[in-house]
Amino acid sequence: MNRQLFNHISRLLCIFLAIVTMSCKPAENAKLRTGYPITPVSFTDVELSDNFWSERIKTNRDVTIPFGFKKCEEEGRIRNFARAGGLLEGEYEGKMPFDDTDVYKIIEGASYSLTTNPDKELEKYIDDIIEKIAAAQEHDGYLCTWKTLAPDTTPAPWVKPGPRWHHLGASHELYNAGHMYESAFAHYRAMGKRNFLNIALKNADLIAEVFGPGKKLDPPGHQIIETGLVKLYRITQDKKYLDLAKFFLDQRGNAEGHKLHGPYSQDHQPVIEQKEAVGHAVRAAYMYAGMTDIAAMMQDLSYLKAVDNIWENVVSKKIYITGGIGARHGGESFGDNYELPNLTAYNETCAAIGNIYWNHRMFLLHGDAKYIDILERTLYNGVISGVSLEGNSFFYPNCLESDGKYAFNMGALTRQPWFDCSCCPSNIIRFMPSVPNYIYAHRDDSIFVNLFISGKTRIDIDKSTVEICQKTDYPWDGKVILKINPKEDKKFAINIRIPGWARNQPVPSDLYRYLVTNKEKVTLKVNGNYIDLNMEKGYARICRKWQKEDIIELNLPMPVRRVLACERVKNDLGRVALERGPIVYCAEWPDNGGKVLDILLRDYMPLKVEYRGDMLGGIAVITGEVIHLDSTRSVRKGTTKSFMAIPYYSWAHRGVGEMSVWLKHDQ
Ligand code: FUB
Ligand code: ZN
């Protein structure tokens, strides 16, 4: 080849490589199309200024993310990548076949966190880990450090050693891949860099070569690759990834081509025929999220019908009042309909997070506030209970009752700093910075205000931009002020969610109900004038020509509510729970003379609310009087004592002892 031609080709190659690896602006990446009729406003366009979530997100950034990376360093998760890549000598160190996923999940959380709080050192640290991940990737794209380093051994007794793709029901190879895609998507979206994304795409290309019609037909034992592949499709618009996601889902329940993994892995029946939530709850929640993606993006009516059916089943028979799902420790699984024990409730933190991912998608598909009601209940209760206020200890299961003796949290009676299987801490890390994603959404000329959290946002609708500034003390107070600033006078609709709890409906089913109907009305004002609530699918819809500085004032009365469960929930019979606004309460031993399981709360006993800035990071407490039942007597007699309930998420910060969400009650 002559020198000139060589130089010319080299120049072209350089330009090509520059284009391929070029960073786009993070903000542009953040707006990747979802394929849903409704588009969420990206967290990169939402700036929080509240006291509740900002604090938690900051703790996640300052404490939990560095803590998680440190644990991954200490326990060899990062060394595994270096070893698999030949950068370091040594063996696989993990205790689980999916230890790689914790690193991916922490990179995901850290990437989101970097968009709001740039930090060059952290960015460089992540890039260094990505180099190790790249080194660990085999030439054809395969990536799973355990299989590369020690295919003939097993990190855990329940998974069989063997070559690639062996024992897929338990090997977690495709689960590893799915978390990698989710993380690479987040990293690309947040940082605009392709270094991680390229690894993910190469791996997905391999998987698309190996699996598919006429090739390997096994679906993974543990879902998540489905939503991960959909995200790769969103970036690349390469339909092969979307088709592969659907293929994996379609293979479930199809015994031709693989031995069914069974109900534990939701592999007992074709997914489009499934009506009841069964099996391992995290697997299920991720799968339902993936199915909702397929229903929306491929406009597949059979998938739509299936997710609608399963959702009805969960919401009317299988969800805890905290939004937790997955009642049983055995198999980390859903129980039977109405099987919702309190002391032994499993409610894995990951399952609650999965429930949020799923319900958000259901909202984006249907535009109904009932999905956000479930999302909000889960967010304020069943998810954040999973991490301590200090951000460095965790619940894996989230029980609704403690006797101070049953070691429900992987052998411990309270939160633990980490677990051999650390899926829950790393899921908290990846989820927390994305909370601002769930506040606003838009469709055509309509804006949705879903959550009440102080801050500012800019929303592009119908070729224009609207700024919204939200002020509220939610979840402690139900007053919300929204200042609307369209770029120019413009007619559009603002749909403000009126939470189910403010409409006398704790959940969108008859699983739970309030003891007494609250007669106080939700009110709405525009520029100081009361307006009627024009309700549509759980939203008060205000359609008008908006002008700069228009003000909406929403008032959601927040009395203390007593909640009853439907009679078929045996464990809650004769019991009452307390709620205020979106917060579920519990009674804990330090506030109630050391005991709470003997409490009887009479229905007529008045309850008060008091904000205590000095307690548990600042909480509204509920106080009153209760009877502590005398266990030696058969009749309901006992001693009247003062009572205090605290938000459920804030329990277990003051030592081990009794706690209960459901308290005995009578009239
Ligand atoms: O199997 C991977 C993760 O570990 C699951 O999602 C959790 O339930 C835990 O078993
Ligand atoms: Zn978990």
Side-chain angles (χ1 to χ4, degrees):
M1 192 190 302
N2 77 33
R3 188 165 198 83
Q4 238 182 345
L5 183 62
F6 176 80
N7 286 345
H8 183 64
I9 293 177
S10 310
R11 257 198 315 274
L12 281 179
L13 250 176
C14 289
I15 295 170
F16 173 73
L17 281 176
I19 293 170
V20 169
T21 53
M22 191 172 56
S23 304
C24 338
K25 285 201 202 91
E28 287 164 19
N29 300 321
K31 290 184 182 149
L32 288 168
R33 282 184 38 233
T34 60
Y36 279 82
I38 299 178
T39 307
V41 176
S42 163
F43 64 95
T44 47
D45 288 330
V46 180
E47 203 182 305
L48 300 190
S49 57
D50 75 317
N51 294 324
F52 192 88
W53 290 105
S54 298
E55 272 304 303
R56 272 157 191 83
I57 293 169
K58 182 173 182 315
T59 304
N60 190 58
R61 185 171 67 238
D62 294 349
V63 179
T64 324
I65 291 174
F67 179 73
F69 275 134
K70 187 166 152 274
K71 281 286 181 194
C72 287
E73 299 269 8
E74 280 170 11
E75 297 183 355
R77 289 179 181 77
I78 293 172
R79 282 193 292 276
N80 284 336
F81 287 107
R83 286 184 178 133
L87 307 174
L88 194 70
E89 288 288 302
E91 302 188 341
Y92 183 75
E93 279 185 76
K95 295 209 172 73
M96 297 290 146
F98 49 87
D99 274 13
D100 295 356
T101 61
D102 296 313
V103 179
Y104 299 146
K105 283 150 85 183
I106 301 172
I107 293 179
E108 180 173 339
S111 303
Y112 282 145
S113 176
L114 281 170
T115 58
T116 44
N117 290 72
D119 175 342
K120 284 280 158 219
E121 212 179 304
L122 178 60
E123 197 179 329
K124 162 92 179 50
Y125 177 75
I126 292 176
D127 279 339
D128 289 349
I129 299 179
I130 293 174
E131 270 180 32
K132 293 182 181 124
I133 297 174
Q137 182 161 42
E138 297 189 22
H139 290 299
D140 62 356
Y142 185 82
L143 185 41
C144 172
T145 63
W146 156 53
K147 284 277 177 184
T148 300
L149 284 168
D152 299 331
T153 66
T154 169
W158 43 265
V159 50
K160 294 187 190 134
R164 284 181 189 185
W165 322 128
H166 177 66
H167 197 206
L168 269 171
S171 76
H172 283 74
E173 286 159 284
L174 299 173
Y175 173 77
N176 279 323
H179 267 302
M180 184 202 333
Y181 307 163
E182 295 257 326
S183 176
F185 171 87
H187 182 256
Y188 169 74
R189 191 174 172 211
M191 309 307 299
K193 292 185 189 172
R194 294 187 70 103
N195 48 346
F196 196 7
L197 178 63
N198 288 339
I199 301 171
L201 291 174
K202 191 171 169 190
N203 180 265
D205 290 344
L206 170 72
I207 291 177
E209 265 170 38
V210 175
F211 292 86
K215 305 183 229 172
K216 249 191 164 321
L217 297 171
D218 319 44
H222 196 314
Q223 300 85 335
I224 198 169
I225 195 166
E226 302 79 3
T227 51
L229 282 165
V230 168
K231 286 179 177 170
L232 296 186
Y233 165 69
R234 284 177 58 199
I235 295 175
T236 60
Q237 291 298 305
D238 187 339
K239 194 155 170 293
K240 145 176 106 179
Y241 302 123
L242 186 61
D243 289 340
L244 186 58
K246 183 164 185 295
F247 165 79
F248 280 134
L249 290 165
D250 285 343
Q251 285 314 101
R252 290 190 181 275
N254 178 2
E256 279 172 31
H258 81 285
K259 184 168 174 294
L260 297 185
H261 305 314
Y264 170 73
S265 288
Q266 299 75 36
D267 189 22
H268 55 300
Q269 202 182 12
V271 293
I272 54 170
E273 288 169 23
Q274 296 189 22
K275 292 197 171 77
E276 182 177 351
V278 295
H280 186 273
V282 185
R283 291 169 198 236
Y286 290 170
M287 180 173 97
Y288 306 150
M291 287 170 66
T292 313
D293 278 348
I294 298 302
M297 301 173 109
M298 299 181 116
Q299 281 141 35
D300 188 309
L301 291 180
S302 48
Y303 270 73
L304 178 70
K305 198 171 117 226
V307 286
D308 284 350
N309 283 337
I310 301 167
W311 187 86
E312 277 303 327
N313 172 252
V314 171
V315 165
S316 47
K317 299 182 177 72
K318 298 204 178 185
I319 194 165
Y320 281 89
I321 192 175
T322 53
I325 52 172
R328 292 185 190 163
H329 277 244
E332 310 185 301
S333 71
F334 283 102
D336 291 336
N337 289 334
Y338 304 106
E339 179 187 337
L340 296 165
N342 294 310
L343 182 73
T344 60
Y346 198 63
N347 282 340
E348 182 173 340
T349 304
C350 289
I353 291 173
N355 201 24
I356 289 196
Y357 291 150
W358 178 32
N359 275 281
H360 191 230
R361 285 167 166 85
M362 292 294 276
F363 155 72
L364 296 175
L365 179 57
H366 289 294
D368 195 311
K370 65 185 181 183
Y371 304 106
I372 305 295
D373 286 346
I374 295 290
L375 186 154
E376 180 183 70
R377 178 169 290 278
T378 313
L379 185 62
Y380 280 94
N381 304 291
V383 166
I384 54 172
S385 57
V387 55
S388 67
L389 296 169
E390 297 79 18
N392 57 4
S393 60
F394 307 89
F395 278 142
Y396 187 136
N398 293 270
C399 61
L400 274 76
E401 180 179 311
S402 167
D403 58 5
K405 295 179 201 125
Y406 173 59
F408 61 94
N409 192 26
M410 300 291 135
L413 283 156
T414 188
R415 291 191 183 81
Q416 291 212 53
W418 199 248
F419 308 94
D420 286 348
C421 168
S422 53
C423 54
C424 294
S426 53
N427 238 351
I428 283 279
I429 289 174
R430 82 169 173 137
F431 172 75
M432 217 54 129
S434 74
V435 168
N437 240 355
Y438 301 105
I439 306 175
Y440 304 99
H442 62 95
R443 173 177 53 198
D444 307 327
D445 58 355
S446 291
I447 288 174
F448 295 84
V449 180
N450 278 331
L451 299 179
F452 305 111
I453 304 179
S454 288
K456 267 197 271 184
T457 187
R458 285 164 62 86
I459 305 176
D460 293 332
I461 53 157
D462 197 17
K463 298 190 204 87
S464 190
T465 305
V466 181
E467 268 181 18
I468 298 184
C469 179
Q470 182 175 165
K471 277 217 168 82
T472 178
D473 274 330
Y474 204 87
W476 312 124
D477 188 84
K479 289 190 194 63
V480 181
I481 297 178
L482 297 161
K483 192 191 276 178
I484 312 299
N485 264 330
K487 203 161 155 214
E488 61 261 314
D489 294 1
K490 192 169 172 54
K491 187 169 177 196
F492 58 94
I494 300 186
N495 297 304
I496 301 174
R497 178 174 148 261
I498 308 300
W501 59 258
R503 293 183 283 111
N504 287 306
Q505 198 184 23
V507 287
S509 72
D510 60 4
L511 188 57
Y512 302 107
R513 65 183 191 280
Y514 292 120
L515 178 69
V516 177
T517 304
N518 180 28
K519 300 269 169 46
E520 288 171 273
K521 290 267 174 286
V522 173
T523 61
L524 201 52
K525 288 185 199 171
V526 174
N527 297 332
N529 302 313
Y530 283 104
I531 59 164
D532 288 340
L533 265 60
N534 170 25
M535 293 298 294
E536 264 179 40
K537 292 186 171 181
Y539 291 93
R541 183 175 169 85
I542 319 174
C543 188
R544 70 197 295 271
K545 193 166 191 182
W546 295 96
Q547 299 180 329
K548 278 195 177 41
E549 308 277 306
D550 276 347
I551 303 276
I552 302 174
E553 288 166 81
L554 169 70
N555 189 25
L556 303 166
M558 264 194 193
V560 175
R561 310 298 299 272
R562 288 167 156 94
V563 190
L564 301 176
C566 122
E567 286 66 27
R568 298 184 68 176
V569 183
K570 297 277 171 293
N571 293 84
D572 299 339
L573 271 182
R575 290 174 182 266
V576 69
L578 298 176
E579 279 188 9
R580 182 170 177 269
I583 303 283
V584 174
Y585 279 74
C586 70
E588 196 186 10
W589 65 275
D591 313 306
N592 294 285
K595 287 184 81 56
V596 302
L597 300 183
D598 59 350
I599 280 178
L600 174 78
L601 177 60
R602 295 234 141 100
D603 292 347
Y604 60 81
M605 284 170 153
L607 294 167
K608 284 198 252 167
V609 179
E610 187 190 329
Y611 185 76
R612 293 279 302 269
D614 58 337
M615 222 178 135
L616 298 166
I619 51 172
V621 299
I622 297 175
T623 57
E625 286 193 333
V626 290
I627 295 162
H628 281 258
L629 292 172
D630 183 345
S631 58
T632 58
R633 301 201 206 179
S634 52
V635 283
R636 288 197 147 188
K637 286 226 169 101
T639 327
T640 303
K641 288 188 185 160
S642 61
F643 162 78
M644 183 188 281
I646 58 168
Y648 167 71
Y649 73 75
S650 68
W651 87 280
H653 285 91
R654 297 167 295 172
V656 169
E658 293 184 0
M659 179 282 291
S660 193
V661 169
W662 291 97
L663 307 168
K664 290 184 200 97
H665 84 118
D666 69 15
Q667 294 160 346

